[in-house]
Amino acid sequence: MTTWAPRVLSALRIVAALLFMEHGLMKLFHFPIAQSGLPDPLPVQLVVAALLEVVGGALLTLGLGTRAVAFVCSGQMAVAYLMAHAPAGFWPAANGGGEAILYCFIFLYIAFAGGGAWSLDAWFSARRNSPD
C-alpha cells in the first residue's frame, strides 16, 4: 500500500479540487446548476470566494503550485465555516458546515503532503532533477 500512497494522494487532490471548483462554477455561472440560497447579484465577498474556488480548484486539479494553493483554499474554507456556518449553531450537521470543514482539512493536509505523484509539481521537479 505504501507504494500507492503518492498516487492515492493525487486522486484525493484531484477529486477534492474538482468538487471544490464545481462550487465556484455554480456561484458564478450556475453550472452545472445554480447554487440555491444565494443572493442575486452576488456580493463581492461571494464573487471573490467563487473565483478562489474556480482558480484554486483548477490549479489543484493540475497539481500546480499545490502547497501554496491548498493552503489558501484551506484558509478560505476555515473563514467560510466561521462566517457562514458557525453562527447558525455549534454542530456541523445542523449548520450545514460539514463540507467546509472537510475541505479545510483535506486542503490543509495537501498543503503539507504536496500534490502526489500525478501532479505538474512532481513533473517539473523530476525534470529539474534529471541529469539531461
Side-chain angles (χ1 to χ4, degrees):
M1 293 189 102
T2 304
T3 303
W4 280 91
R7 294 173 191 95
V8 173
L9 170 59
S10 290
L12 172 67
R13 172 186 49 80
I14 292 165
V15 170
L18 288 171
L19 292 171
F20 189 64
M21 188 168 50
E22 182 181 50
H23 285 281
L25 292 171
M26 289 168 59
K27 286 180 187 82
L28 291 176
F29 305 113
H30 300 187
F31 177 81
I33 61 171
Q35 188 170 338
S36 63
L38 293 180
D40 187 28
L42 286 177
V44 172
Q45 185 177 11
L46 287 178
V47 171
V48 170
L51 290 172
L52 283 170
E53 291 162 3
V54 172
V55 174
L59 289 170
L60 287 173
T61 298
L62 297 171
L64 185 60
T66 304
R67 291 178 189 269
V69 173
F71 187 76
V72 169
C73 292
S74 175
Q76 178 199 353
M77 288 293 93
V79 169
Y81 182 80
L82 292 172
M83 291 182 71
H85 299 285
F90 179 75
W91 300 108
N95 69 24
E99 205 170 7
I101 292 171
L102 281 173
Y103 279 127
C104 178
F105 281 91
I106 288 169
F107 293 146
L108 186 62
Y109 172 69
I110 292 169
F112 283 88
W118 300 327
S119 68
L120 287 178
D121 290 340
W123 184 77
F124 285 128
S125 179
R127 285 192 45 99
R128 229 181 354 261
N129 296 329
S130 71
D132 289 339

